[in-house]
Short mmCIF file of all heavy atoms in Angstrom, two decimals:
data_model
loop_
_atom_site.label_atom_id
_atom_site.label_comp_id
_atom_site.label_asym_id
_atom_site.label_seq_id
_atom_site.Cartn_x
_atom_site.Cartn_y
_atom_site.Cartn_z
N VAL A 125 107.44 90.11 108.96
CA VAL A 125 106.91 89.48 107.74
C VAL A 125 108.04 89.19 106.75
O VAL A 125 108.09 88.12 106.14
CB VAL A 125 105.79 90.33 107.11
CG1 VAL A 125 105.25 89.66 105.85
CG2 VAL A 125 104.65 90.56 108.11
N ILE A 126 108.96 90.14 106.60
CA ILE A 126 110.11 89.92 105.71
C ILE A 126 110.93 88.73 106.21
O ILE A 126 111.38 87.90 105.41
CB ILE A 126 110.98 91.18 105.59
CG1 ILE A 126 110.25 92.23 104.74
CG2 ILE A 126 112.34 90.86 104.98
CD1 ILE A 126 110.94 93.58 104.70
N HIS A 127 111.11 88.63 107.51
CA HIS A 127 111.85 87.49 108.08
C HIS A 127 111.17 86.17 107.71
O HIS A 127 111.84 85.20 107.33
CB HIS A 127 111.96 87.64 109.59
CG HIS A 127 112.60 86.46 110.25
ND1 HIS A 127 113.94 86.18 110.15
CD2 HIS A 127 112.06 85.46 111.00
CE1 HIS A 127 114.22 85.07 110.83
NE2 HIS A 127 113.09 84.61 111.33
N VAL A 128 109.85 86.14 107.81
CA VAL A 128 109.10 84.92 107.47
C VAL A 128 109.27 84.59 105.98
O VAL A 128 109.46 83.44 105.61
CB VAL A 128 107.61 85.08 107.84
CG1 VAL A 128 106.76 83.98 107.24
CG2 VAL A 128 107.44 85.10 109.36
N ILE A 129 109.23 85.61 105.14
CA ILE A 129 109.28 85.41 103.69
C ILE A 129 110.72 85.20 103.19
O ILE A 129 110.94 84.64 102.12
CB ILE A 129 108.60 86.59 102.98
CG1 ILE A 129 107.09 86.52 103.24
CG2 ILE A 129 108.87 86.61 101.49
CD1 ILE A 129 106.32 87.70 102.77
N SER A 130 111.69 85.62 103.97
CA SER A 130 113.09 85.59 103.51
C SER A 130 113.60 84.20 103.14
O SER A 130 114.55 84.07 102.38
CB SER A 130 114.01 86.22 104.54
OG SER A 130 114.03 85.44 105.72
N GLY A 131 112.96 83.18 103.63
CA GLY A 131 113.38 81.82 103.31
C GLY A 131 113.07 81.38 101.89
O GLY A 131 113.44 80.28 101.49
N PHE A 132 112.36 82.21 101.13
CA PHE A 132 111.97 81.83 99.78
C PHE A 132 112.95 82.32 98.71
O PHE A 132 112.69 82.18 97.52
CB PHE A 132 110.55 82.32 99.47
CG PHE A 132 109.51 81.60 100.28
CD1 PHE A 132 109.02 82.16 101.46
CD2 PHE A 132 109.04 80.36 99.89
CE1 PHE A 132 108.08 81.49 102.22
CE2 PHE A 132 108.10 79.68 100.65
CZ PHE A 132 107.61 80.25 101.81
N GLY A 133 114.07 82.90 99.14
CA GLY A 133 115.14 83.24 98.21
C GLY A 133 114.92 84.45 97.34
O GLY A 133 115.52 84.57 96.27
N LEU A 134 114.08 85.38 97.78
CA LEU A 134 113.85 86.60 97.01
C LEU A 134 114.89 87.65 97.38
O LEU A 134 115.45 87.62 98.48
CB LEU A 134 112.45 87.16 97.31
CG LEU A 134 111.27 86.22 97.08
CD1 LEU A 134 109.97 86.91 97.45
CD2 LEU A 134 111.23 85.73 95.64
N ASP A 135 115.13 88.59 96.49
CA ASP A 135 116.01 89.70 96.84
C ASP A 135 115.22 90.72 97.66
O ASP A 135 114.03 90.52 97.94
CB ASP A 135 116.64 90.34 95.59
CG ASP A 135 115.60 90.91 94.62
OD1 ASP A 135 114.43 91.14 95.00
OD2 ASP A 135 115.98 91.14 93.45
N GLU A 136 115.86 91.80 98.06
CA GLU A 136 115.22 92.78 98.94
C GLU A 136 113.93 93.34 98.33
O GLU A 136 112.90 93.42 99.00
CB GLU A 136 116.20 93.92 99.25
CG GLU A 136 115.67 94.91 100.26
CD GLU A 136 116.69 95.98 100.62
OE1 GLU A 136 117.89 95.81 100.34
OE2 GLU A 136 116.26 97.00 101.18
N GLU A 137 113.99 93.72 97.07
CA GLU A 137 112.80 94.27 96.42
C GLU A 137 111.72 93.20 96.28
O GLU A 137 110.53 93.46 96.49
CB GLU A 137 113.15 94.83 95.04
CG GLU A 137 111.97 95.48 94.35
CD GLU A 137 112.34 96.11 93.02
OE1 GLU A 137 113.46 96.65 92.88
OE2 GLU A 137 111.49 96.06 92.11
N GLY A 138 112.14 91.98 95.95
CA GLY A 138 111.19 90.88 95.84
C GLY A 138 110.48 90.60 97.15
O GLY A 138 109.27 90.33 97.16
N ASN A 139 111.21 90.68 98.26
CA ASN A 139 110.59 90.52 99.58
C ASN A 139 109.50 91.55 99.81
O ASN A 139 108.42 91.23 100.32
CB ASN A 139 111.64 90.62 100.69
CG ASN A 139 112.43 89.35 100.87
OD1 ASN A 139 111.97 88.26 100.54
ND2 ASN A 139 113.64 89.48 101.38
N LEU A 140 109.79 92.80 99.44
CA LEU A 140 108.80 93.87 99.65
C LEU A 140 107.56 93.66 98.79
O LEU A 140 106.44 93.87 99.25
CB LEU A 140 109.44 95.24 99.39
CG LEU A 140 110.54 95.64 100.38
CD1 LEU A 140 111.17 96.96 99.97
CD2 LEU A 140 109.99 95.74 101.80
N HIS A 141 107.75 93.24 97.54
CA HIS A 141 106.59 92.94 96.69
C HIS A 141 105.79 91.77 97.28
O HIS A 141 104.55 91.79 97.27
CB HIS A 141 107.05 92.60 95.27
CG HIS A 141 107.50 93.79 94.48
ND1 HIS A 141 106.68 94.86 94.21
CD2 HIS A 141 108.70 94.08 93.92
CE1 HIS A 141 107.34 95.76 93.50
NE2 HIS A 141 108.58 95.30 93.32
N ALA A 142 106.50 90.77 97.79
CA ALA A 142 105.84 89.62 98.39
C ALA A 142 105.05 90.01 99.64
O ALA A 142 103.94 89.52 99.87
CB ALA A 142 106.86 88.53 98.72
N VAL A 143 105.60 90.93 100.44
CA VAL A 143 104.89 91.42 101.62
C VAL A 143 103.61 92.15 101.20
O VAL A 143 102.54 91.94 101.77
CB VAL A 143 105.79 92.35 102.47
CG1 VAL A 143 104.98 93.08 103.53
CG2 VAL A 143 106.91 91.56 103.12
N ARG A 144 103.73 93.00 100.19
CA ARG A 144 102.54 93.72 99.69
C ARG A 144 101.48 92.74 99.20
O ARG A 144 100.29 92.93 99.44
CB ARG A 144 102.93 94.64 98.53
CG ARG A 144 103.50 95.95 98.94
CD ARG A 144 103.72 96.80 97.70
NE ARG A 144 104.15 98.14 98.05
CZ ARG A 144 104.49 99.05 97.16
NH1 ARG A 144 104.45 98.77 95.86
NH2 ARG A 144 104.87 100.25 97.54
N GLY A 145 101.93 91.72 98.48
CA GLY A 145 100.98 90.74 97.97
C GLY A 145 100.25 90.01 99.08
O GLY A 145 99.03 89.85 99.03
N LEU A 146 101.00 89.58 100.08
CA LEU A 146 100.39 88.86 101.20
C LEU A 146 99.43 89.76 101.96
O LEU A 146 98.32 89.36 102.31
CB LEU A 146 101.47 88.31 102.14
CG LEU A 146 100.97 87.48 103.31
CD1 LEU A 146 100.16 86.28 102.84
CD2 LEU A 146 102.14 87.04 104.19
N ARG A 147 99.85 90.99 102.20
CA ARG A 147 98.98 91.93 102.91
C ARG A 147 97.69 92.17 102.11
O ARG A 147 96.60 92.25 102.69
CB ARG A 147 99.72 93.25 103.12
CG ARG A 147 98.92 94.25 103.93
CD ARG A 147 99.68 95.54 104.12
NE ARG A 147 98.90 96.46 104.95
CZ ARG A 147 99.04 97.77 104.92
NH1 ARG A 147 99.94 98.32 104.13
NH2 ARG A 147 98.31 98.53 105.69
N SER A 148 97.80 92.28 100.81
CA SER A 148 96.62 92.49 99.97
C SER A 148 95.66 91.31 100.04
O SER A 148 94.44 91.49 100.15
CB SER A 148 97.04 92.72 98.51
OG SER A 148 97.84 93.87 98.40
N ILE A 149 96.21 90.10 100.00
CA ILE A 149 95.37 88.90 100.11
C ILE A 149 94.65 88.88 101.45
O ILE A 149 93.43 88.69 101.52
CB ILE A 149 96.23 87.62 99.95
CG1 ILE A 149 96.72 87.48 98.51
CG2 ILE A 149 95.44 86.38 100.38
CD1 ILE A 149 97.81 86.43 98.35
N LEU A 150 95.40 89.08 102.53
CA LEU A 150 94.82 88.98 103.87
C LEU A 150 93.83 90.11 104.14
O LEU A 150 92.77 89.88 104.73
CB LEU A 150 95.92 88.95 104.92
CG LEU A 150 96.86 87.74 104.83
CD1 LEU A 150 97.96 87.85 105.86
CD2 LEU A 150 96.09 86.44 104.97
N HIS A 151 94.17 91.31 103.69
CA HIS A 151 93.24 92.43 103.90
C HIS A 151 91.97 92.23 103.08
O HIS A 151 90.86 92.44 103.58
CB HIS A 151 93.89 93.77 103.53
CG HIS A 151 92.93 94.91 103.63
ND1 HIS A 151 92.40 95.33 104.84
CD2 HIS A 151 92.37 95.69 102.67
CE1 HIS A 151 91.56 96.33 104.61
NE2 HIS A 151 91.53 96.56 103.31
N GLY A 152 92.12 91.81 101.84
CA GLY A 152 90.95 91.59 101.00
C GLY A 152 90.03 90.53 101.59
O GLY A 152 88.81 90.72 101.67
N LEU A 153 90.60 89.42 102.00
CA LEU A 153 89.81 88.34 102.58
C LEU A 153 89.12 88.79 103.87
O LEU A 153 87.93 88.56 104.06
CB LEU A 153 90.70 87.12 102.85
CG LEU A 153 89.95 85.87 103.32
CD1 LEU A 153 89.21 85.23 102.15
CD2 LEU A 153 90.92 84.87 103.92
N SER A 154 89.89 89.46 104.74
CA SER A 154 89.30 89.88 106.02
C SER A 154 88.23 90.94 105.83
O SER A 154 87.21 90.92 106.51
CB SER A 154 90.39 90.37 106.97
OG SER A 154 91.01 91.53 106.46
N THR A 155 88.42 91.85 104.88
CA THR A 155 87.42 92.89 104.63
C THR A 155 86.13 92.29 104.08
O THR A 155 85.03 92.62 104.55
CB THR A 155 87.98 93.95 103.65
OG1 THR A 155 89.14 94.54 104.23
CG2 THR A 155 86.96 95.04 103.37
N LEU A 156 86.26 91.41 103.10
CA LEU A 156 85.06 90.76 102.56
C LEU A 156 84.35 89.93 103.63
O LEU A 156 83.13 89.92 103.72
CB LEU A 156 85.44 89.88 101.37
CG LEU A 156 85.79 90.64 100.10
CD1 LEU A 156 86.46 89.72 99.09
CD2 LEU A 156 84.56 91.30 99.49
N ASP A 157 85.12 89.25 104.47
CA ASP A 157 84.55 88.46 105.56
C ASP A 157 83.79 89.37 106.53
O ASP A 157 82.64 89.09 106.87
CB ASP A 157 85.68 87.72 106.28
CG ASP A 157 85.20 86.85 107.43
OD1 ASP A 157 84.09 86.29 107.34
OD2 ASP A 157 85.95 86.70 108.41
N HIS A 158 84.41 90.46 106.93
CA HIS A 158 83.79 91.38 107.89
C HIS A 158 82.53 92.04 107.31
O HIS A 158 81.56 92.29 108.03
CB HIS A 158 84.79 92.44 108.32
CG HIS A 158 84.28 93.36 109.37
ND1 HIS A 158 83.99 92.94 110.66
CD2 HIS A 158 83.97 94.68 109.34
CE1 HIS A 158 83.54 93.95 111.36
NE2 HIS A 158 83.51 95.02 110.58
N GLN A 159 82.54 92.32 106.01
CA GLN A 159 81.41 92.98 105.36
C GLN A 159 80.32 91.99 104.96
O GLN A 159 79.32 92.39 104.37
CB GLN A 159 81.88 93.74 104.11
CG GLN A 159 82.91 94.81 104.38
CD GLN A 159 82.31 96.04 105.03
OE1 GLN A 159 81.14 96.33 104.85
NE2 GLN A 159 83.10 96.76 105.78
N GLY A 160 80.51 90.72 105.26
CA GLY A 160 79.51 89.71 104.89
C GLY A 160 79.52 89.39 103.41
O GLY A 160 78.49 89.03 102.83
N GLY A 161 80.68 89.51 102.79
CA GLY A 161 80.79 89.33 101.34
C GLY A 161 80.87 87.90 100.87
O GLY A 161 80.89 87.65 99.67
N PHE A 162 80.92 86.94 101.79
CA PHE A 162 80.99 85.54 101.39
C PHE A 162 79.68 84.86 101.78
O PHE A 162 79.48 84.50 102.94
CB PHE A 162 82.17 84.84 102.06
CG PHE A 162 83.51 85.39 101.65
CD1 PHE A 162 84.33 86.01 102.58
CD2 PHE A 162 83.94 85.29 100.34
CE1 PHE A 162 85.57 86.52 102.20
CE2 PHE A 162 85.17 85.80 99.95
CZ PHE A 162 85.99 86.42 100.89
N GLY A 163 78.81 84.66 100.81
CA GLY A 163 77.50 84.08 101.09
C GLY A 163 77.41 82.59 100.86
O GLY A 163 76.48 81.93 101.31
N MET A 164 78.38 82.03 100.14
CA MET A 164 78.33 80.59 99.85
C MET A 164 78.70 79.77 101.08
O MET A 164 79.53 80.20 101.86
CB MET A 164 79.30 80.26 98.71
CG MET A 164 78.92 80.84 97.39
SD MET A 164 80.12 80.31 96.16
CE MET A 164 79.92 81.63 94.97
#
Side-chain angles (χ1 to χ4, degrees):
V125 180
I126 287 173
H127 175 72
V128 168
I129 290 172
S130 66
F132 292 96
L134 304 178
D135 60 18
E136 186 176 344
E137 184 176 325
N139 281 335
L140 294 176
H141 286 300
V143 169
R144 278 185 174 175
L146 183 58
R147 184 180 182 204
S148 298
I149 290 167
L150 297 177
H151 175 67
L153 186 74
S154 64
T155 299
L156 287 167
D157 181 33
H158 184 67
Q159 300 286 333
F162 296 116
M164 293 182 204

